[in-house]
Amino acid sequence: EVQRSIDFYISQGHERSIQRIVLMGGSANLKQLDQFLSTELSLPVEIFNPYQYFAQLPKDFSNNPTYGPQLALALGLALRKERDVKS
């Protein structure tokens, strides 16, 4: 299914390409999912690490690899500016 989505995306224009895949959310913590997808799709796959964008986080969160991919959406929403949010 992922391969079909990639093929569809690329078929939408000759200038489209995919350089890498970034996994986020709870599924990113599935054991060796990144390695499996990289092998199957012949693309580099990495697990998103939101900690790299913050100078300081609470100790409970700091460098805990299981929290990082799950925090992606919440951190992104928290960083939005008020004018970006539409009612």
Side-chain angles (χ1 to χ4, degrees):
E1 198 62 33
V2 174
Q3 184 64 60
R4 286 177 11 133
S5 295
I6 290 171
D7 293 342
F8 177 77
Y9 174 80
I10 292 172
S11 74
Q12 299 304 302
H14 69 278
E15 70 283 347
R16 292 188 176 204
S17 67
I18 296 176
Q19 304 302 316
R20 67 186 169 129
I21 294 175
V22 180
L23 300 177
M24 300 179 198
S27 297
N29 291 325
L30 290 172
K31 192 173 187 178
Q32 298 182 335
L33 178 61
D34 55 338
Q35 296 165 351
F36 173 76
L37 288 174
S38 182
T39 300
E40 291 294 313
L41 302 172
S42 300
L43 286 167
V45 177
E46 64 187 62
I47 297 173
F48 180 68
N49 178 11
Y51 301 127
Q52 67 188 358
Y53 300 102
F54 297 93
Q56 196 170 16
L57 285 170
K59 289 181 183 181
D60 291 346
F61 292 99
S62 296
N63 298 317
N64 185 324
T66 60
Y67 290 151
Q70 295 175 26
L71 290 174
L73 178 62
L75 291 173
L77 291 172
L79 292 172
R80 291 180 74 175
K81 295 180 180 171
E82 185 177 331
R83 68 177 178 270
D84 292 340
V85 179
K86 295 182 180 180
S87 303

